[in-house]
Amino acid sequence: MRALGTLQEQARERREKHEKQHSVGANLKKIVRVFWWSSLTALLIAGPFALWYTGKTGKWLAAAEVEAIRLSAEVGMTVKNIEVTGREKTDPAALLAAIGQKPGTPIITFDVDAARERIEQLSWVRDAIVERQLPNTLVVSIAERQPLALWQTETGHVLIDADGTQLQDYELGDYLNLPVLVGTDAREHASEMLTTLKTIPRLFDMVTGAQRIGNRRWNIQLANGMFIRLPEENMAKAWARLDQLDQAHNILSRDVLIVDLRLPDRTFVRLTPGAAELRRNPPKKGNAA
């Protein structure tokens, strides 16, 4: 029995020794693996960034950069996906050309700032954000310009946004419902004027155009052919006064050609030619009206 017990103890000692050696080996492999990946990551990411920002051009640094780029490609850090959000009117081909990165190229060499600047030069793009999502994805988020009005020029109508920026690559027929602006400096001042007019949606729905007068103020044209002369200052108050006059006297439904609101304490009205003629020469009694 003592011999059997001794054999069992020896077997248990051998198993424990084997298990201890296996555990040490596994831990050592794990440590080596973590160290290898950490070193590679530092080389792939920190190395190229350090090179970009220090501006050092020594031969050994250049070689290290080339090697880092090569290793990054080998472990899959290449452009495989380009995700775009916010695009509606921007031409897809023009956008991809502005991004300027082809699938399969190393992602760590991609200059996000340069790409953003190129994208923001596109007509419909107001702002852009470009990011890298390692290991293989570029994310592009754009905010497009919103058409505000049609600006009438000597050569035709131009679509503009709130900043007065001329948009390109569009079908004019898609925007014929927008107000038409006239005047050399109309596009620079359109945003303030239209923002004021939109404060009273009922009236704004009647607006078809606006003319900039003397680089100082606006004449507004309504769908019924009536013109509203707004003042140079306190435009919002004048527009609200028009709303009050219409609600009290239905002035916008009468035979009126011009409503002059330039003076703050009075309103001048000019009748249409037909209504003015009837007022000068009213029909005689007994005649058909």
Side-chain angles (χ1 to χ4, degrees), residues 140-213:
V140 180
S141 302
I142 63 175
E144 292 189 330
R145 299 182 181 277
Q146 298 302 312
L148 182 73
L150 294 173
W151 179 42
Q152 183 174 309
T153 67
E154 294 181 355
T155 58
H157 292 87
V158 175
L159 187 65
I160 64 172
D161 76 339
D163 297 328
T165 300
Q166 298 184 36
L167 303 177
Q168 301 173 359
D169 302 323
Y170 61 87
E171 294 293 334
L172 184 62
D174 295 337
Y175 301 99
L176 296 180
N177 62 318
L178 295 178
V180 177
L181 309 181
V182 179
T184 55
D185 67 337
R187 65 171 181 162
E188 290 86 350
H189 300 275
S191 179
E192 179 186 3
M193 179 269 296
L194 291 175
T195 298
T196 298
L197 268 53
K198 288 179 180 180
T199 58
I200 305 178
R202 183 182 71 86
L203 296 185
F204 181 74
D205 289 342
M206 304 179 191
V207 175
T208 59
Q211 182 179 8
R212 184 77 171 163
I213 306 297

Side-chain angles (χ1 to χ4, degrees), residues 2 8 27 30 69 79 93 112 114 134 138 158 190 204 206 214 231 237 239 249 251 254 262 286:
R2 287 179 58 84
Q8 290 176 341
N27 289 334
K30 183 182 296 185
I69 294 172
V79 177
V112 294
L134 299 180
L138 298 178
V158 175
F204 181 74
M206 304 179 191
K237 290 184 178 180
W239 191 242
H249 305 289
I251 191 173
R254 297 179 179 272
R262 288 178 293 175

Side-chain angles (χ1 to χ4, degrees), residues 13-86:
E13 290 176 356
R14 285 195 298 270
R15 286 197 303 271
E16 291 176 351
K17 183 178 181 180
H18 175 75
E19 291 174 356
K20 184 176 181 181
Q21 291 175 344
H22 177 75
S23 176
V24 171
N27 289 334
L28 181 61
K29 290 181 180 179
K30 183 182 296 185
I31 293 172
V32 170
R33 185 165 58 249
V34 170
F35 176 78
W36 187 87
W37 275 106
S38 300
S39 301
L40 179 60
T41 302
L43 177 63
L44 295 179
I45 299 177
F49 276 107
L51 291 171
W52 291 341
Y53 285 103
T54 59
K56 295 180 179 179
T57 57
K59 291 183 178 180
W60 72 273
L61 288 175
E65 180 181 6
V66 171
E67 181 65 10
I69 294 172
R70 184 187 68 79
L71 290 174
S72 71
E74 286 187 359
V75 298
M77 295 176 67
T78 60
V79 177
K80 293 183 180 179
N81 307 305
I82 300 178
E83 298 179 359
V84 178
T85 60

Side-chain angles (χ1 to χ4, degrees), residues 25 118 147-148 156 219 222 280:
R118 291 193 299 269
L148 182 73
N219 283 350
L222 305 184
R280 288 193 298 267

